[in-house]
Amino acid sequence: MPDMHTYWSTIAPAAPEMYLTAAICAILLIDVFAGGARRPRLTGTLTLLALAIGAWVAIEFGAVGERTVLFDGLYVADPLALVLKLSALLFVAVALLYSRPYMERRRIAGGEYYVLALTALLGIFVLASAANLLTLYIGVELLALSLYAMIAFDRESPVSAEAAIKYFVLGSIASGMLLYGISLVYGLTGTLALDEIAQRLTTEPSLGMVIGVAFVVVAIAFKFGAVPFHMWVPDVYHGAPTAVTLLISTAPKFAYFALAYRLLSQGLDGVSATWTQMIAVLAVLSLIVGNVFAIAQENLKRMLAYSAIANVGFILLGFTTGTTSGYQAALYYTIVYVLMTLGSFGVILLASRRDFEADQLDDYKGLHARDPMLALSMLMLMFSTAGVPPFVGFWAKLAIFEALWEAGSLWLVVIGALASVVGAFYYIRVVKLMYFDDAPAQPRGDAGRSLRFVLGLNAFAALALGVVPGALIDLCRSVLG
Amino acid sequence: MQGLGILSALVWLPIAGGVAVLALGDRRIAAARWLALIAAIATVALTIPLWIGFDRGTAEFQFVERLPWITAFNSWYHLGVDGISLPLIVLTAVMTVPVIIASWKVIETRPAQYYAAFLIMAGLMIGVFAAIDGLLFYFFWEAMLIPMFLIIGVWGGPRRVYATFKFFLYTFLGSVLMLVALIYLYVQGGDYSLRALHELPLTLVEQRWIFLAFLAAFAVKVPMWPVHTWLPDAHVEAPTGGSVILAAIMLKMGGYGFLRFSLPITPDASRELDWLMIALSLIAVVYISLVALVQTDMKKLIAYSSIAHMGFVTLGAFIAWDIADSTGALRGAAMGLDGAMVQMVSHGLVSGAMFLCVGVMYDRVHSREISAYGGVINTMPKFAGFMVFFSLANAGVPGTSGFVGEFLVIIASFKANFWYAFLVATILILGAAYTLWLVKRVIYGPVANEHVAQMPDLNRQELLVLGSLAVLVLLLGVWPAPLLDVMHSSIHHLVEQMTTSKLPL
C-alpha cells in the first residue's frame, strides 16, 4: 500500500494528537466496562502508561527537523511544539502521580478524573501546534472545558462548585473576548492562518486592528491570570481540590504560553508595538498586585495563587520585549515556574491526610520536626521561587532581566527586581514557619514512600538545574530561534 | 582552558562535608561533629599549597580554572586568585575551624544542621572570593544568604525571626540592584569575565549608575552608615558561631566587592564620588564609635565597633585619588589600599575572637548585658587574659594586628588631607575608650554576683581556639610582611586600574 504510506508520512507529525485521542477513547471505554471497586486504580495506571507511550510517540513522530505545516495550514509541527508537548506530558504525569493517592483516599477519584486530565492535555497539544486561529480556539476551549469539569470534581464540596462556576462564567467571557478579537483580526486581514496574517500586517495598524489586538490581549491575560483579569485565580486555586489545583496551576501554563506566542509573536508580530505596551502594563500590575496581596494571605493555596499572578507578570515581561531573546526567556521562565509550582503543591498534597487538608500556612509550623524531608524540599522550592541562587528560579529571573536590558527597558528591569525582593518576603516566611517555629503536636502526611521520592526528585531538580543551568537555557534558545 | 583544581576543592570540599554531616544527622552526632571538624581542617590544609605556590611577583589571576558553565550567557565556571582574594580565602578557611570547635558542646538543638550550615557557608564564601566570573560571583554571593538566614533564624536569640528577616531582605535588596548592573555590563560587553568587565569602556553617566548599584550591594554588606542597622540586630540574635562568621568573613565581602568591582570597573565614577565614600567612612568611624560607647549589650558593642573598623577599610580604599593628587605619586595611594586589606584580615581575626569571648561568657551566664558581669578575672583568670589581649588588639595597640591596618590607613590619610587623618585618628581614643571601658566593667572589679562567682575557667576547646587566634593576631601584629608581600603586586595593579580613566576620549 504505497499510497497509504505516502499519506501517512504527510500527517505523521500530528501523530501525538491522534494517538492521544485514541488513547482517551480507549481508556474511557475500559473505564466504563471494567467496573468494580478497582476501577479508578486501573484507569489511573492505564493513564500513566498512556502518557509514557505518548512521550515516545511525540519524540518518534513529533520531532521534526524543521517547521512543518499540515492539514492545509491548520497545524504546525516545530521544535517549540515538541518541547511544549513533552513538558506538558511530563508535568501532567507527575501531577497525576502526586494527586492519585490524594484523590483515592478522599474517594473522589473517579476514572473520569484521569480522562479529563487527558483531554486537557490534548487541548494543550492542540494549542502548542496551532497554526490557525480556529485551531487555536479549539485548543483553548478543549482545555478550558476539561478544567471546569475537573474543578467541580468533588461533588460534595460547595466551595469547589462555586470555584468551578466562577471559572466557567469568567472563562466564557474570556472566550468571547478571544472570539471577538479573532473575528476583528480576520475581518481586517481576510485570513485565519497565522502565517498569512503575519504577512499581511505590514502597515500601521488601523483602529479596528488595535481594538482586535486589545481583545486578544485581554483574553490571553485572563487565561494567564494577569492583573486586572486575575480575580478568578485565588478563588479557583483555593476552591478546587488540591490535586486539581496542582494540575491547573502547572501544565496549562504551557498552553497559554503557546497561545501568547503563536498569536502575538507569530501572527500579530507586525503590530507588536501595539500589544507590547498593553502587555507591559499587565505585567507591571501583576508583579505589584500579586506580590503585595500574597503577603496578606493565610492560606497557602491562596498565597501560591497570588504568587502565580506575580510569576505570570515575569513571564509577560519576557513578551514585552517583542524580541526573540524575550520569548526564549519567557519559555524558560514558564518551564522553571511550572517545575517549582508542581513541587510546592506536591508538598501540600503530601502534608495532607485523609481527614485533614494542610492548606493553612499555620499547618506548616514546625514541619521540620515532623517531616524533615518534606520541609527540606519545601525550603528548596520556596527559595527557588523567590529567585535565590543556587536554585533554578534565579536563572529564570536572570534570563528575563537580561532580555529586558537588551531591549533597553530599564524601568521594567528595576520594577521586576524590586518586585522579586517583595516576593522574597512571603516565600521565606514559609521557611520561617517550617524551621523557626515550634511544632504543634500533629501527625505527618500519609503519603507513600515512592511519592516522597518523586517529590524529593522534583526539589532536587530545582537545585540541579540551578547549579548546572546551561542545558535547559540552551534548549529554550534553540527551539525559538 | 584549565580543568578543576585546588580552588574547586576549596569550594566544594566544605560543601560536600556539610551535606555529609547533614546526612549523618543528629542521631549520629558524634560522628557528624568529627566529620565537620575534619572537613574544616582539611579546608585549611588545602590553603597551604595555595599560599606556598602563589607567585608574589604578578598581579595575574593564578590557579585559574575555567570550564564552560552557561554558554547562552557566555558565563564560565571561572576561578582564580590574586593577592587580594588569597588572604581572604585563607581567612575564611581558618575562621571556620574555631566556629566548629566553639560549638562542640554548646549547640544542643539540631547540631548536625548547625555544622552543615557553617560548612556549606564556608564553601560558598570561598567561592565568592575565588570566582572571577561576574555571574559565578553573584551565584555564590547570593547563595550564602540561605545558610546565614537559617543560622540566625534557628539558633538565634529571642528576636531572631525579626533579625534574620531584616538581614535577608536588606542584603537581598542591595544584591538585586548589583545584579541589574552586572547584567547591564554584560549586555554592553558580551562577557561576564572579571578581566573583561575591568577593561570595558564606560561613559561617566553609565559609571555613576553602576557605581551606585554596586554601592547598594556592598555598602549593605560592609555595612556603611546609614545602611548598617541590620548588623547589630543580626549580631545580637545570632548564635556565637554566626556572629563570628558574620563579623569575620561576611563583612569582608563588602570590602572585597569595592576592591574587586567598584574601583576597577567604575574608576571615574569612584573618583568623582570619592567624597561621598570618604564622608560615609568618617561618619562610620566617628559617629558609630560614639554609639558603641553607650551600648549596654556586649555583642552590640562589638557589632558597632565592627562598623567603625570597617570604616577604615572603605576610607583606605577611597582616599587613593586624594593621595595621588596631593603627593603626585601612586605609591602613597597603595598604602591606603594596603591598610584596607590588612584591616580586613586583622578585623576578621580580632572581631571573631571578641565574639568568641562573649560566647564563652554567654555560655556560662546566659546574658550579654555588661551589667550582668564584673570581676570575671577573679574566677576566670585565663579567660580574662585573652579577653584583655583581644580588646587591646581591637583598640589597635602596637604589637597586635589591629595596629598595622589602622596605622597604615591613618598615615595614608595624612598624605591625603590633614582633617581626614584627624577625624579617623579619633578611633585611637574612642576605640580604646569603648573597648577598655568594656574590659573594665566586665573583667575587673570585685565579683559582681553569684553567677560570676560560679563561672568555671576556659575548657580545653576554648583554650585551643582563643590561643591559636591570639597567636595569629600577635604574629600579624609584629610581622605583617608576609601578608603585605602577597598583596603587593595585586594592589599595585589595582592602583593602576583606578587611576586609568575608562572614559572614551
Side-chain angles (χ1 to χ4, degrees), chain B residues 89-430:
Chain B
I89 290 175
V90 177
L91 180 70
T92 309
V94 167
M95 288 309 288
T96 307
V97 180
V99 166
I100 286 174
I101 299 180
S103 55
W104 205 254
K105 290 196 174 130
V106 183
I107 296 293
E108 278 157 8
T109 45
R110 311 186 208 164
Q113 291 178 28
Y114 182 85
Y115 296 122
F118 276 104
L119 284 175
I120 291 172
M121 200 150 77
L124 295 174
M125 288 186 301
I126 291 173
V128 168
F129 295 127
I132 50 175
D133 177 282
L135 212 49
L136 187 64
F137 169 85
Y138 189 83
F139 179 82
F140 286 124
W141 170 276
E142 280 289 85
M144 213 194 47
L145 289 181
I146 297 176
M148 199 65 204
F149 174 76
L150 295 172
I151 286 170
I152 300 176
V154 175
W155 294 279
R159 286 174 75 233
R160 59 185 200 272
V161 172
Y162 167 78
T164 198
F165 269 68
K166 191 169 176 182
F167 159 78
F168 189 93
L169 294 175
Y170 245 84
T171 37
F172 195 54
L173 175 65
S175 309
V176 162
L177 294 175
M178 171 171 76
L179 178 67
V180 169
L182 267 180
I183 300 172
Y184 178 80
L185 288 170
Y186 165 69
V187 170
Q188 294 301 308
D191 199 340
Y192 273 114
S193 103
L194 219 56
R195 280 288 179 246
L197 295 181
H198 286 175
E199 279 152 24
L200 184 70
L202 295 164
T203 67
L204 191 57
V205 180
E206 287 175 313
Q207 285 196 31
R208 242 181 249 149
W209 284 107
I210 292 166
F211 179 83
L212 291 175
F214 282 157
L215 181 64
F218 301 144
V220 167
K221 268 280 195 328
V222 165
M224 299 177 77
W225 184 88
V227 286
H228 65 280
T229 60
W230 64 270
L231 184 75
D233 285 319
H235 263 317
V236 168
E237 301 303 330
T240 302
S243 297
V244 172
I245 290 297
L246 209 63
I249 319 291
M250 281 187 64
L251 305 191
K252 307 306 169 287
M253 290 170 34
Y256 174 76
F258 281 122
L259 299 185
R260 185 62 93 213
F261 285 82
S262 302
L263 293 176
I265 293 178
T266 60
D268 302 289
S270 305
R271 173 172 207 159
E272 190 192 50
L273 294 169
D274 67 349
W275 59 269
L276 174 71
M277 301 299 293
I278 292 172
L280 293 179
S281 308
L282 289 174
I283 291 174
V285 171
V286 179
Y287 167 70
I288 298 292
S289 290
L290 290 170
V291 174
L293 207 49
V294 297
Q295 297 307 313
T296 55
D297 180 311
M298 292 190 287
K299 270 187 152 180
K300 259 199 170 143
L301 189 147
I302 303 169
Y304 280 110
S305 141
S306 289
I307 302 169
H309 282 94
M310 290 306 287
F312 270 81
V313 175
T314 43
L315 184 73
F318 281 88
I319 48 172
W321 292 280
D322 279 354
I323 301 174
D325 287 348
S326 59
T327 62
L330 292 180
R331 177 181 285 188
M335 185 183 277
L337 290 163
D338 274 336
M341 277 301 296
V342 175
Q343 176 75 352
M344 283 209 270
V345 175
S346 153
H347 178 257
L349 297 172
V350 174
S351 70
M354 289 291 280
F355 278 116
L356 285 169
C357 285
V358 174
V360 165
M361 289 191 280
Y362 182 80
D363 293 337
R364 287 164 172 72
V365 178
H366 295 287
S367 172
R368 295 181 308 257
E369 290 296 314
I370 295 174
S371 56
Y373 297 91
V376 172
I377 195 166
N378 300 308
T379 48
M380 301 177 70
K382 285 186 218 154
F383 168 75
F386 282 114
M387 175 90 182
V388 172
F389 173 76
F390 289 122
S391 300
L392 290 176
N394 199 39
V397 167
T400 64
S401 63
F403 172 74
V404 183
E406 289 183 13
F407 189 68
L408 282 170
V409 173
I410 292 173
I411 295 290
S413 347
F414 257 114
K415 292 190 180 177
N417 183 320
F418 169 76
W419 290 106
Y420 297 167
F422 176 79
L423 286 171
V424 80
T426 56
I427 198 160
L428 294 179
I429 302 159
L430 293 173

Side-chain angles (χ1 to χ4, degrees), chain B residues 64-83:
Chain B
V64 173
E65 297 170 23
R66 189 164 188 262
L67 296 166
W69 190 36
I70 310 171
T71 39
F73 297 142
N74 194 14
S75 176
W76 297 69
Y77 179 77
H78 198 176
L79 301 176
V81 286
D82 68 353

Side-chain angles (χ1 to χ4, degrees), chain A residues 231-469:
Chain A
M231 299 304 181
W232 62 273
V233 181
D235 291 340
V236 168
Y237 274 41
H238 182 198
T242 309
V244 177
T245 312
L246 170 71
L247 203 78
I248 56 178
S249 61
T250 51
K253 294 280 187 289
F254 296 118
Y256 307 142
F257 176 85
L259 176 67
Y261 180 74
R262 300 276 187 219
L263 199 49
L264 297 178
S265 314
Q266 287 188 335
L268 299 171
D269 190 38
V271 291
S272 63
T274 319
W275 57 259
T276 47
Q277 288 173 11
M278 300 179 197
I279 297 273
V281 175
L282 294 168
V284 170
L285 285 176
S286 302
L287 285 171
I288 296 171
V289 172
N291 278 321
V292 171
F293 279 52
I295 293 175
Q297 302 308 314
E298 284 173 4
N299 182 298
L300 184 56
K301 279 162 84 179
R302 283 191 94 84
M303 191 200 97
L304 289 175
Y306 281 103
S307 147
I309 295 168
N311 280 292
V312 160
F314 270 106
I315 295 174
L316 291 181
L317 276 183
F319 279 95
T320 60
T321 59
T323 61
T324 310
S325 67
Y327 307 141
Q328 289 164 341
L331 175 63
Y332 181 57
Y333 199 102
T334 310
I335 295 176
V336 167
Y337 169 70
V338 168
L339 173 79
M340 299 180 305
T341 309
L342 193 70
S344 310
F345 279 107
V347 169
I348 302 184
L349 291 179
L350 263 64
S352 300
R353 288 184 308 280
R354 197 161 70 93
D355 50 351
F356 172 69
E357 184 83 15
D359 63 347
Q360 295 297 317
L361 278 174
D362 282 348
D363 296 336
Y364 290 83
K365 272 191 179 169
L367 182 69
H368 155 80
R370 283 200 294 287
D371 197 340
M373 178 264 157
L374 203 58
L376 185 66
S377 302
M378 190 63 163
L379 172 124
M380 290 161 76
L381 292 162
M382 286 293 111
F383 275 117
S384 183
T385 322
V388 184
F391 300 108
V392 67
F394 165 68
W395 299 109
K397 291 206 163 69
L398 182 90
I400 295 282
F401 290 156
E402 201 238 304
L404 286 172
W405 256 135
E406 267 177 26
S409 318
L410 166 68
W411 285 109
L412 292 179
V413 177
V414 173
I415 291 171
L418 295 179
S420 60
V421 177
V422 177
F425 172 77
Y426 59 85
Y427 296 121
I428 62 174
R429 190 177 56 184
V430 176
V431 176
K432 175 233 161 199
L433 290 170
M434 295 188 305
Y435 277 84
F436 304 166
D437 288 357
D438 288 329
Q442 243 184 40
R444 41 191 255 176
D446 53 5
R449 192 171 264 188
S450 55
L451 206 53
R452 301 167 66 82
F453 179 73
V454 175
L455 183 80
L457 221 56
N458 189 337
F460 181 74
L463 175 65
L465 287 171
V467 177
V468 191

Side-chain angles (χ1 to χ4, degrees), chain A residues 25-35 39 42-43 46:
Chain A
C25 298
I27 290 175
L28 195 57
L29 283 176
I30 296 172
D31 186 57
V32 170
F33 287 107
R39 192 174 65 107
L42 177 68
T43 314
L46 280 176

